[in-house]
Amino acid sequence: METSLWKRRDEQALKIIDDLRNQMKKTGYDDAVKYMNEKLKGKEIVTLQMPN
C-alpha cells in the first residue's frame, strides 16, 4: 500500500512538471534559448557565485 501511495505522488509530480514544461514551450522558451546561444557563441561566459 505504501508503494502505491508513492507511485501516485510521483505520477502527480511528473504531471505537474510536464505541464510546466509545456507552458514554458508555449511562451517561446525554446526559441529564446536558441537565440541566446547564438548570440553568446564564441564569447567568454563569466559566472559569479555569491556566498550563502
Side-chain angles (χ1 to χ4, degrees), residues 1 21 33 45:
M1 177 150 177
R21 185 180 294 127
V33 170
I45 306 297

Side-chain angles (χ1 to χ4, degrees), residues 4-38:
S4 174
L5 177 66
W6 288 112
K7 182 180 179 195
R8 191 169 9 139
R9 287 185 181 175
D10 287 349
E11 289 171 351
Q12 290 171 339
L14 288 172
K15 182 181 180 328
I16 290 169
I17 291 169
D18 194 44
D19 289 346
L20 288 171
R21 185 180 294 127
N22 287 335
Q23 287 178 18
M24 287 174 63
K25 286 185 177 193
K26 287 179 186 175
T27 64
Y29 177 80
D30 291 336
D31 293 333
V33 170
K34 280 184 204 175
Y35 174 81
M36 290 307 299
N37 285 335
E38 285 296 317

